[in-house]
Amino acid sequence: MRRPLRIVLLGPPGSGKGTQAHIISELYGVPVITTGDMLREAVANGTEYGKIVDSYMSRGELVPDKIVNGVVGERLNRSDLENGFILDGFPRSTPQAEFLDGFLEEHDLKLEYVIHVTLDDEAIVKRLSNRRSCPNCGEVYHLVSKPPKKEGVCDKCGSELILRDDDRPDVIRNRLVVYREKTQPLLDRYMEKGLIKEAPGDHPMERLPELLKRVLG
Ligand SMILES: [Zn+2]
């Protein structure tokens, strides 16, 4: 049996990080765990931290690092992660990274890799600003990779498609600036530990498994 594979994935919104996470998961048989899923699960299961998360979310407030860390701790303690995990969306800040280091050390575990999915800002802007959404049923299209059958109209419900504010070039550029500011300390931290592996985000989908195998060895 191969050794457990514990991976953190870092990458900007629109880099294709989620896709890479799922391919790694299939290749190596380890689950992807995302912060969003962990928070939702904790709330649904009514765990100790889940109740606190719920109180923040129902007020529409951001869940503080300390509470997110508690949820992640609960999740990492469950028994389905013996073969490892792929963390997508955590850590997102230095206090979260410090928590993860401490947790792993305490349990005598270690991270194998931090995969940094890279894509330059203009490519991301191009990718995301081609998205069109249906305000009625929520279906998402992409003018290049998943165009609607009839221009500007939702295949599913016939509503007129819109460019969401989040997908406007100026808003995307702004988000990327914020993302890079928050992420650089994490990249520095993991670089120092020698854990960073770069994975280009502009690879054609069908060649991703091969690329990831090469990156991960
Ligand atoms: Zn629709």
Side-chain angles (χ1 to χ4, degrees):
M1 211 188 88
R2 73 167 285 139
R3 66 199 154 83
L5 200 55
R6 295 184 195 88
I7 294 176
V8 163
L9 265 178
L10 295 176
S15 64
K17 178 168 61 88
T19 307
Q20 299 216 10
H22 284 283
I23 292 175
I24 300 170
S25 170
E26 279 181 19
L27 284 175
Y28 296 97
V30 289
V32 179
I33 43 187
T34 71
T35 305
D37 286 347
M38 284 188 274
L39 294 177
R40 277 187 291 275
E41 256 181 52
V43 171
N45 294 338
T47 66
E48 185 193 339
Y49 283 104
K51 286 176 193 151
I52 307 171
V53 170
D54 194 28
S55 71
Y56 279 98
M57 283 179 152
S58 59
R59 292 195 301 267
E61 287 175 24
L62 208 67
V63 184
D65 279 338
K66 230 175 117 183
I67 308 302
V68 175
N69 290 343
V71 170
V72 173
E74 285 179 334
R75 179 66 187 92
L76 294 183
N77 268 327
R78 292 209 331 240
S79 59
D80 60 330
L81 302 180
E82 276 170 5
N83 291 327
F85 54 73
I86 302 158
L87 274 173
D88 178 4
F90 186 93
R92 201 163 261 171
S93 64
T94 299
Q96 293 184 0
E98 283 167 353
F99 168 80
L100 183 62
D101 282 355
F103 180 94
L104 294 173
E105 204 180 299
E106 207 177 289
H107 292 77
D108 211 11
L109 304 171
K110 67 181 193 70
L111 274 185
E112 262 72 34
Y113 305 110
V114 174
I115 299 180
H116 180 214
V117 184
T118 54
L119 194 57
D120 68 64
D121 283 7
E122 282 321 295
I124 292 173
V125 169
K126 215 168 146 190
R127 195 181 267 184
L128 293 182
S129 62
N130 274 326
R131 282 209 296 220
R132 295 294 180 274
S133 310
C134 174
N136 180 46
C137 72
E139 187 71 5
V140 178
Y141 298 87
H142 189 275
L143 298 184
V144 179
S145 60
K146 190 196 168 192
K149 288 195 187 84
K150 186 173 168 220
E151 200 186 319
V153 177
C154 180
D155 292 348
K156 287 200 168 162
C157 72
S159 298
E160 202 170 317
L161 300 177
I162 57 161
L163 175 66
R164 291 190 327 154
D165 279 349
D166 274 1
D167 297 334
R168 274 173 29 210
D170 53 321
V171 177
I172 298 167
R173 286 197 187 93
N174 224 332
R175 260 161 72 207
L176 289 171
V177 169
V178 173
Y179 165 81
R180 299 213 190 275
E181 267 170 21
K182 283 186 79 176
T183 309
Q184 195 55 50
L186 301 182
L187 291 173
D188 293 343
R189 178 187 191 94
Y190 291 127
M191 191 69 85
E192 225 167 79
K193 293 174 187 273
L195 294 177
I196 297 272
K197 299 266 184 188
E198 303 264 347
D202 54 359
H203 233 63
M205 184 93 128
E206 63 279 6
R207 282 174 51 205
L208 267 178
E210 180 203 332
L211 166 82
L212 288 166
K213 273 188 193 158
R214 207 166 59 224
V215 168
L216 296 176

